Amino acid sequence: MARRVSGVVSVAVIRDLLTRKGAAVAGSSGVLGIRARPEWPNGPVPFAGGSVPVAPCLSSLAVREALLRRGPTGWLIILTDRDDDDLGLGITAHLIGRRLQNPDPWDAVKHGFEATRIDSRLASADHRTDLAMALLNATPDTGWPAARGGILTFDHMMESVTAAHLELPTAGDGLDLTTVLEWTVQSDVARHMTGLGARSGPLLAEMVAGWVADHAGALAPVVGPALIGGSAADIVPLGLVARAVDSSAAGSGPRALFRQQAPAAVPLALWADAAEATIGELIARGEATRDHVRAALHRADQLLDQVEAGSFAPSSAVLRTSLSQRLAALGEALRVAVGGAPVRASSGGPDSTLVEVAMLAKVESAWAAVTGHVLANRVGEVRVPRARAGVQLVRWLSAPVEDAAAFPAVVDRFWQVDAWVDRAVNDATSGVDIEELAQGLRAVLAAVRLRRAAHDMSFAALAVSDAVNGSPLPRGVTYAEDLLASVVFPLARSRGVLFVLADGMSGGVATEIVDDVTTQMDTWLECLPDGATGRLAAIAAFPTLTRVSRASLFCGDLATGEQKVELDGFATLSKAHGLTGRLFHKLALDSSEPGFAIAHDVAATVDDESVRVVACVLNTIDDALDRSDPAGIEWSAESVKHLRPLLDRARRAGRVVVIASDHGHVIERRDGWFESVVSVSSNRSFAYGGAVPAGAVRATGRRVLDHNGDAVLAVDERLRFGPIKAGYHGGAAPAEVVIPVVVVANGQAPLGWEFAPPQSPAWWRGPRAVAPTAIVEAPRKSTPVAIETQGSLFDPAVPESSGLVAQLFASSVWADQVRRSTNRRVTDEEIARLVDALLAAPGNRLDAEAAAAALGVAVVRLAGALPQVQRLLNVEQYEVIGRDSDGTSVVLDVALLREQFGVSG
């Protein structure tokens, strides 16, 4: 009697046998007899684009009948538990190989992996046959990757299964905790594990989970159960929550609730470190806004609530809730810091110190907590830039402002400092949805107004007494009607110029646009005339209206009128200076064909070297005053229509670009008042009739081109004489009067010009130095002192420098370094500024912009200036000062400085 068999053959085994017996060859045929239990609940076996029928046969007679039913061609599978002797030669002669096949699933597995043998770990595995069947069932349509060296190892098997079914990206030696955790965030692990289990059975799925967990190191007790239980997506979110829970007391509610969610006995700090590193790396790769990262962060917030650990969230540098709470803490610090500003302004004046140093330190500490959060710089995070504006304003309020008693001084104060204040005010005013931060920003803005309002009034008083009468102006400042003759035309004699007039661009908006042009369009570098200490400026004609100031600018003389006056005046002025020039207004710039950024005529003119000055009027900013929110717009080369394509065209044509305006503007912030007057020329100007309302000044003289030379001009930004709009111009506030003038060049600076150092104030870039060190704002240009006159004495031009730097310059080591230095191009003053700035900076580290500003050089020149400093400070090649690991920041080793120079200050 034949020996019974217990095995049930699988589709995978049948397919493997068919393949090995040549059934995939076109036109082949045969009968494949397999010794197995004669059970087959399935239909024909799909194979090689067709199907092969399967006949389960309980007896020899059943086999014979199946053979008789078979046609002359094609393939047939016979399943029977009879053996060859029972069937007899009459039947086995019809079978492939003249015998029944006794399939070993491991033979099929080896064949699938192109292996000749399997390693001992697989050969001795529990449920060995079930594992082989599971592997066969899990075979992907593309097959398994060949076993290395013909030996199928356990690791190769697991790598192949996870790659085929679980989207685990790295295998073998590259599989580590970081890879595993990133995989749980980026992939739908639960769905993949369910799919693997359904296809292969639970045995292989459990083995895979254990294998992956083995590569997770100390988190193996977490990873394995999570993979089996379908909660892999919670591994990283729970780790993020673990940081907050770890900050709670032992035996607290959050700890107990957390262990209900994650019972594995893994140290909380270790779990938190791994999870935070994972999210931090994903964000560093630019995945902060990807759905999987957002889902992980959202889930972490949910879990944080479930374990009731929300009050401990600030300890985390990753949780979204933590960033909100850190911003709230910053808002409270801002509010407290400026709480005494009104009293201080009343007693010492608005230009006195309005924020105490101790309060500033608390703000900086809270700000450092915000910037230390990995989500602080993610795309779309608007709260942090608005909070930064509040911090910048508090820095400004924490230092006294020198009195500006003359018109040149107030012009410089506005363009070099207050324009940046206005930019920060616009950012902060946009608001946030965190109550504490919103309250803090509101308090800061109120304190800022105390000082800025006083500055505006002092500026206007001097402007109407001096500037409107055409009094001489200092170097670097000119009148609108002289701007072309004094700046643009001299440049055009040696190099073609693109003159961009951004109608209505204020000083604050200009700082934002120029920053974007020189950073995002990195071929453009800002330039200053040789010896200049800051950006150029011009003074608008009054009232500060387009038909007044723009007409005067293009005519080269005081004039009023619309575009025809400007076109005729520009043509006449260019010809008078022996130059060819063309002026394009909005319609000409807009007349481009679909698909073209600028009109063909404009593009051809920019390319034409014979046209020395191409002037283009861009109306985006002025238009925003009527129809949108100029304070809420992020001003850039892209947001000002036509600016980016014009700059691109000018770069290819080799032109220098001068960016200026005809006047600025003030913003409507919904907290002003309306004065009903007659004979208005704008919302900010009207004819003098015997009275001047509060917040305004009377202007008379030749540069007042309306109202017979006698007008009342609004100064306070809250005052208007007409219907409410988004913003206004026409008045005498410096934001309306001072015309920003910025020159940028590509490749090399124009003749008689040099690349500019960073123009932002120190408080804009980073923390203000406090006792015992004080940052001295770097002048824009300094002249090196001859080596023989320097000696080792501390340069008296830096009276506020720290004691440590004074001792440095007095040391014998410094004297030796100076004697050895040849071709020295940096001064003691510049080195003192850089060292003092580094001493004051967090971690004694400055970014490239701040370091360049301290040295008084353009950022692009820092790479040449820093080695000069290093040759003096890096004694015997010990790196006292050098580049940080990021390759851009500059870092000072204070301990090494003390040791090398024998100083202790």
Side-chain angles (χ1 to χ4, degrees):
M1 186 173 182
R3 179 171 58 86
R4 294 278 182 180
V5 296
S6 59
V8 178
V9 74
S10 69
V11 171
V13 168
I14 292 176
R15 289 167 60 90
D16 176 70
L17 287 171
L18 286 169
T19 300
R20 285 195 278 167
K21 300 305 179 181
V25 178
S28 63
S29 64
V31 179
L32 182 62
I34 300 175
R35 190 158 188 267
R37 287 172 61 181
E39 299 174 5
W40 190 252
N42 306 310
V45 175
F47 183 77
S51 62
V52 178
V54 179
C57 301
L58 296 171
S59 64
S60 299
L61 180 60
V63 174
R64 190 177 299 277
E65 291 176 350
L67 291 173
L68 291 173
R69 289 196 302 270
R70 173 180 174 262
T73 60
W75 285 83
L76 171 67
I77 305 294
I78 289 178
L79 303 181
T80 181
D81 57 359
R82 306 295 92 189
D83 58 21
D84 290 337
D85 292 339
D86 192 16
L87 294 180
L89 291 175
I91 292 177
T92 58
H94 294 275
L95 306 180
I96 296 294
R98 298 181 179 275
R99 63 181 178 84
L100 291 168
Q101 306 295 316
N102 290 292
D104 180 351
W106 278 107
D107 287 338
V109 169
K110 286 190 291 184
H111 179 257
F113 283 97
E114 299 180 26
T116 57
R117 58 193 178 95
I118 61 176
D119 70 7
S120 58
R121 186 175 178 183
L122 292 175
S124 61
D126 292 337
H127 310 292
R128 180 178 178 276
T129 301
D130 291 339
L131 175 59
M133 296 299 293
L135 282 169
L136 292 173
N137 290 331
T139 303
D141 293 339
T142 55
W144 295 116
R148 292 179 286 272
I151 302 174
L152 178 59
T153 65
F154 182 80
D155 283 338
H156 182 79
M157 179 185 75
M158 290 293 102
E159 292 169 15
S160 303
V161 173
T162 55
H165 296 284
L166 303 183
E167 296 184 352
L168 188 56
T170 306
D173 294 338
L175 185 59
D176 54 16
L177 175 59
T178 298
T179 306
V180 170
L181 293 187
E182 287 187 8
W183 168 63
T184 65
V185 172
Q186 295 173 315
S187 183
D188 189 350
V189 177
R191 179 172 61 84
H192 294 319
M193 287 292 294
T194 299
L196 175 62
R199 181 163 179 170
S200 68
L203 175 63
L204 184 59
E206 290 173 4
M207 292 182 70
V208 165
W211 181 80
V212 173
D214 287 344
H215 289 80
L219 289 191
V222 172
V223 173
L227 292 177
I228 296 299
S231 59
D234 276 351
I235 296 173
V236 168
L238 279 168
L240 300 182
V241 174
R243 179 71 68 200
V245 174
D246 195 38
S247 300
S248 66
S252 64
R255 286 180 179 259
L257 291 170
F258 184 84
R259 287 309 179 192
Q260 292 178 14
Q261 295 282 347
V266 173
L268 293 175
L270 185 149
W271 193 348
D273 289 343
E276 289 174 352
T278 299
I279 293 296
E281 175 62 25
L282 292 174
I283 290 174
R285 296 206 299 258
E287 299 185 31
T289 58
R290 299 282 296 274
D291 287 346
H292 53 266
V293 174
R294 293 168 60 187
L297 293 171
H298 177 69
R299 178 59 176 159
D301 280 345
Q302 289 181 323
L303 292 167
L304 185 74
D305 289 340
Q306 290 177 20
V307 302
E308 299 177 4
S311 60
F312 302 100
S315 61
S316 167
V318 180
L319 288 169
R320 292 192 302 186
T321 297
S322 166
L323 179 59
S324 297
Q325 291 180 350
R326 292 184 183 196
L327 286 167
L330 172 62
E332 179 62 14
L334 291 172
R335 187 189 64 80
V336 173
V338 298
V343 174
R344 287 172 172 266
S346 178
S347 60
D351 283 338
S352 63
T353 298
L354 300 186
V355 172
E356 296 178 1
V357 168
M359 294 295 100
L360 174 62
K362 291 181 179 180
V363 168
E364 294 289 7
S365 177
W367 173 239
V370 170
T371 56
H373 200 285
V374 299
L375 299 179
N377 295 318
R378 65 176 173 172
V379 176
E381 175 53 78
V382 299
R383 301 171 301 174
V384 172
R386 292 168 188 177
R388 177 187 294 111
V391 174
Q392 290 167 326
L393 293 171
V394 167
R395 291 172 184 158
W396 177 64
L397 293 170
S398 68
V401 177
E402 292 185 7
D403 182 47
F407 186 62
V410 294
V411 172
D412 185 69
R413 180 177 66 187
F414 172 76
W415 186 207
Q416 307 301 334
V417 179
D418 286 359
W420 295 87
V421 173
D422 289 352
R423 175 175 167 182
V425 165
N426 285 343
D427 290 342
T429 302
S430 298
V432 295
D433 60 354
I434 299 173
E435 176 70 18
E436 296 87 346
L437 180 55
Q439 294 287 355
L441 291 176
R442 184 173 70 173
V444 170
L445 292 169
V448 167
R449 173 165 288 170
L450 296 172
R451 185 180 283 181
R452 279 293 289 112
H455 286 186
D456 285 355
M457 290 305 298
S458 64
F459 172 92
L462 291 167
V464 297
S465 65
D466 292 334
V468 296
N469 293 312
S471 302
L473 294 175
R475 182 184 180 189
V477 182
T478 188
Y479 291 112
E481 59 269 26
D482 299 326
L483 177 57
L484 293 177
S486 62
V487 177
V488 177
F489 291 161
L491 282 168
R493 290 189 176 91
S494 60
R495 199 163 160 186
V497 173
L498 171 66
F499 176 59
V500 175
L501 189 144
D503 192 356
M505 180 177 67
S506 65
V509 171
T511 67
E512 195 170 355
I513 292 173
V514 173
D515 274 0
D516 180 72
V517 169
T518 56
T519 55
Q520 302 304 318
M521 303 179 69
D522 55 6
T523 58
W524 290 107
L525 298 171
E526 184 176 356
C527 303
L528 296 176
D530 289 343
T533 59
R535 288 170 173 165
L536 308 181
I539 304 302
F542 293 110
T544 48
L545 303 173
T546 298
R547 61 182 177 81
V548 172
S549 200
R550 198 169 81 190
S552 298
L553 189 153
F554 281 121
C555 290
D557 199 359
L558 294 172
T560 60
E562 306 300 334
Q563 290 186 13
K564 186 178 186 309
V565 171
E566 296 168 14
L567 289 165
D568 293 343
F570 180 71
T572 302
L573 185 63
S574 300
K575 185 176 181 180
H577 283 264
L579 297 168
T580 54
R582 285 196 65 182
L583 170 60
F584 296 95
H585 286 92
K586 181 177 181 178
L587 181 60
L589 290 166
D590 286 344
S591 299
S592 58
E593 295 181 15
F596 291 88
I598 53 176
H600 296 311
D601 185 28
V602 177
T605 305
V606 174
D607 293 343
D608 188 351
E609 294 182 359
S610 68
V611 182
R612 304 306 296 168
V613 180
V614 180
C616 297
V617 177
L618 308 184
N619 296 95
T620 303
I621 299 170
D622 196 53
D623 290 347
L625 302 179
D626 284 328
R627 295 190 292 270
S628 59
D629 176 17
I633 295 174
E634 185 175 338
W635 293 110
S636 65
E638 193 66 46
S639 61
V640 178
K641 188 178 181 182
H642 301 306
L643 180 54
R644 180 177 287 275
L646 283 172
L647 288 169
D648 285 338
R649 201 81 191 191
R651 176 182 54 79
R652 293 196 293 270
R655 290 183 180 269
V656 176
V657 175
V658 180
I659 303 174
S661 67
D662 48 356
H663 56 75
H665 66 267
V666 295
I667 305 295
E668 171 58 60
R669 305 194 191 279
R670 299 299 190 269
D671 61 351
W673 71 93
F674 167 74
E675 290 280 349
S676 180
V677 296
V678 296
S679 301
V680 297
S681 51
S682 73
N683 274 24
R684 299 273 291 170
S685 57
F686 67 93
Y688 176 69
V692 178
V697 293
R698 180 185 180 186
T700 60
R702 59 181 294 271
R703 298 194 76 249
V704 179
L705 305 185
D706 263 351
H707 309 302
N708 296 317
D710 193 353
V712 175
L713 308 175
V715 179
D716 192 308
E717 67 173 19
R718 296 169 294 178
L719 174 61
R720 58 184 172 84
F721 307 132
I724 194 167
K725 295 184 177 182
Y728 316 101
H729 58 90
E736 299 165 283
V737 176
V738 178
I739 295 173
V741 180
V742 179
V743 176
V744 294
N746 177 55
Q748 63 181 20
L751 184 65
W753 294 65
E754 60 187 351
F755 290 132
Q759 295 291 292
S760 57
W763 54 262
W764 181 271
R765 297 188 295 269
R768 186 176 75 82
V770 295
T773 306
I775 289 180
V776 181
E777 183 72 22
R780 305 305 183 191
K781 181 178 176 65
S782 58
T783 304
V785 181
I787 294 175
E788 60 269 20
T789 66
Q790 288 178 2
S792 61
L793 296 178
F794 180 71
D795 190 338
V798 198
E800 294 186 66
S801 187
S802 69
L804 187 145
V805 175
Q807 292 179 36
L808 165 70
F809 288 165
S811 70
S812 59
V813 178
W814 173 259
D816 289 341
Q817 290 293 97
V818 169
R819 279 193 294 271
R820 293 192 185 100
S821 179
T822 58
N823 300 320
R824 180 183 175 192
R825 296 192 298 274
V826 291
T827 67
D828 285 7
E829 177 186 349
E830 291 163 344
I831 293 173
R833 287 199 307 266
L834 177 60
V835 173
D836 270 336
L838 285 163
L839 289 170
N844 306 123
R845 181 177 288 102
L846 293 173
D847 62 25
E849 182 181 356
L855 280 173
V857 298
V859 174
V860 72
R861 302 296 192 205
L862 181 62
L866 188 60
Q868 294 275 322
V869 180
Q870 290 175 307
R871 278 197 285 272
L872 289 163
L873 292 182
N874 292 357
V875 181
E876 297 179 353
Q877 305 305 310
Y878 286 99
E879 195 164 85
V880 172
I881 189 170
R883 293 284 195 178
D884 200 358
S885 57
D886 63 10
T888 58
S889 300
V890 178
V891 63
L892 176 71
D893 188 328
V894 180
L896 192 57
L897 175 70
R898 290 193 176 104
E899 178 184 340
Q900 293 297 101
F901 289 91
V903 297
S904 59

